[in-house]
Amino acid sequence: MARRLPPLNALRAFEAAARHLSFVDAADELAVTPAAVSHQVKALEGHLGVTLFQRLPRSLLLTEQGRILAPQLTRGFDRLAEAVARVRVDDVQTVLSVTVLPSFAVRWLLPRLAGFRRLNPGLEIEVHAQHHPVDFRRERVDVALRYGRGGWTGLYAERFLDDEVFPVCSPRLIEGPRPLLDPQDLRHHTLIHDVLTGDDETWVTWQPWLVYFGLDDVDHRRGPRYSDSHMMLEAAAAGEGVALGRSSIMADDLASGRLVRPFPDSQIADYAYYFLCRTDTIDRPAVRAFRDWLVAAAAEDPAAPGHAAASLEV
């Protein structure tokens, strides 16, 4: 039976405008003018014989008929995009796009990628260092490596690397005029901070550590602040002060002696590293190869306190 559908361009224009509730934003997405989007929506309304938007002076509101149609179209276009993507990349994918936090990229992933390339000589990795949450529907990304507590809905999420947190510094601070040999010596040293920490990450901020060490009277806010863990650890290695580091991203510096642990105290981090991808792409050969290599590399990491790898499809 032949499908009696409105013109595809009209459906695309309406679906984009419904998501953004804006002809202007829909036009930006579709690379056309707002007038063209408005014209296509009017044509669709004429074809269907219903009004899909309430047009307000500065915004759009979906009518009841618009609210019925919009989510169905979004799901349909998403499925269409998925099918096209599978045809393009299944079994012949030669480039895998991975988005990863900058500090983890520089200090953990990049030093190990040569091992992945040796195992997969026909597959190239395209690494994007980003902080922002990834939107797999809108971005050309195959895999995301993120740091958190889990709970990514609608994605395949696998916890692959846990962390410890502990103070680190340059060896020069251990041997300096005020040697850093005991937690009480922190009174005489600069505290270095990573400002991009979650509100629920207890042990990556100095206040609980100072309380733990019995230094309640020391101002936990003093010292320089950095918006990236890599910069913070570089400052510590340069002798600028004492930082709270995560074991995964400073293992190489500890092994080389650029950083040292002034005290043996450590705490398990509140967050862990997760492998994320769309639920319909985990079994693509390229994605599966990267996941398998990643989990194996994490299991061999001597700096990790544990390697709980509970896979979730939610």
Side-chain angles (χ1 to χ4, degrees):
M1 183 176 67
R3 293 186 177 90
R4 300 183 61 187
L5 295 174
L8 180 60
N9 283 342
L11 293 172
R12 288 182 67 218
F14 166 71
E15 191 274 336
R19 272 190 288 107
H20 295 289
L21 290 179
S22 166
F23 288 153
V24 173
D25 291 343
D28 286 342
E29 178 180 318
L30 299 175
V32 298
T33 66
V37 173
S38 177
H39 176 77
Q40 291 287 353
V41 171
K42 285 180 180 179
L44 179 62
E45 290 175 325
H47 184 93
L48 298 175
V50 299
T51 300
L52 298 171
F53 287 113
Q54 295 181 39
R55 293 160 172 84
L56 304 178
R58 295 188 178 180
S59 64
L60 298 172
L61 290 178
L62 287 165
T63 64
E64 181 179 355
Q65 290 84 357
R67 288 193 296 273
I68 293 171
L69 181 59
Q72 298 295 335
L73 280 180
T74 297
R75 281 193 284 271
F77 281 123
D78 283 346
R79 286 195 163 194
L80 182 61
E82 290 167 11
V84 171
R86 291 182 72 92
V87 169
R88 283 178 175 169
V89 303
D90 272 2
D91 298 322
V92 296
Q93 185 170 1
T94 58
V95 178
L96 187 77
S97 178
V98 179
T99 171
V100 58
L101 298 175
S103 57
F104 193 71
V106 172
R107 291 180 164 267
W108 195 93
L109 181 63
L110 297 186
R112 293 166 174 78
L113 270 183
F116 177 79
R117 289 195 294 269
R118 283 194 297 271
L119 293 173
N120 301 272
L123 181 61
E124 295 296 338
I125 294 290
E126 184 176 277
V127 178
H128 302 271
Q130 299 169 330
H131 283 291
H132 66 75
V134 64
D135 185 344
F136 284 96
R137 293 192 309 165
R138 308 297 172 209
E139 300 179 50
R140 296 178 65 106
V141 171
D142 299 301
V143 170
L145 305 183
R146 287 297 184 263
Y147 194 60
R149 289 184 179 272
W152 284 276
T153 58
L155 297 174
Y156 177 93
E158 183 165 357
R159 179 173 173 167
F160 69 91
L161 184 62
D162 291 330
D163 250 338
E164 280 184 285
V165 180
F166 45 84
V168 293
C169 65
S170 165
R172 298 201 296 273
L173 269 63
I174 305 295
E175 305 161 355
R178 286 184 178 271
L180 183 60
L181 302 174
D182 182 270
Q184 296 297 318
D185 298 326
L186 287 170
R187 296 178 184 277
H188 310 297
H189 290 271
T190 299
L191 305 180
I192 306 177
H193 307 265
D194 180 355
V195 298
L196 288 184
T197 57
D199 294 336
D200 54 349
E201 288 187 88
T202 304
W203 292 106
V204 294
T205 59
W206 273 108
Q207 184 176 22
W209 280 95
L210 295 174
V211 172
Y212 172 78
F213 288 137
L215 300 171
D216 312 49
D217 57 325
V218 175
D219 183 2
H220 68 275
R221 296 164 297 183
R222 62 182 172 87
R225 300 170 179 273
Y226 295 91
S227 63
D228 182 80
S229 298
H230 174 62
M231 292 191 294
M232 177 192 69
L233 293 175
E234 286 299 302
E240 189 172 325
V242 189
L244 292 171
R246 303 195 306 271
S247 55
S248 62
I249 62 173
M250 57 186 184
D252 293 343
D253 283 328
L254 290 168
S256 69
R258 288 185 77 232
L259 291 173
V260 295
R261 298 179 62 170
F263 333 117
D265 310 74
S266 67
Q267 298 288 342
I268 299 297
D270 299 290
Y271 288 7
Y273 286 97
Y274 285 78
F275 168 98
L276 306 175
C277 70
R278 290 163 55 138
T279 56
D280 63 321
T281 63
I282 180 59
D283 288 322
R284 287 182 185 169
V287 174
R288 176 61 69 175
F290 186 75
R291 176 266 169 204
D292 292 348
W293 168 81
L294 185 75
V295 170
E300 296 172 359
D301 192 333
H307 313 287
S311 61
L312 305 171
E313 292 191 26
V314 289

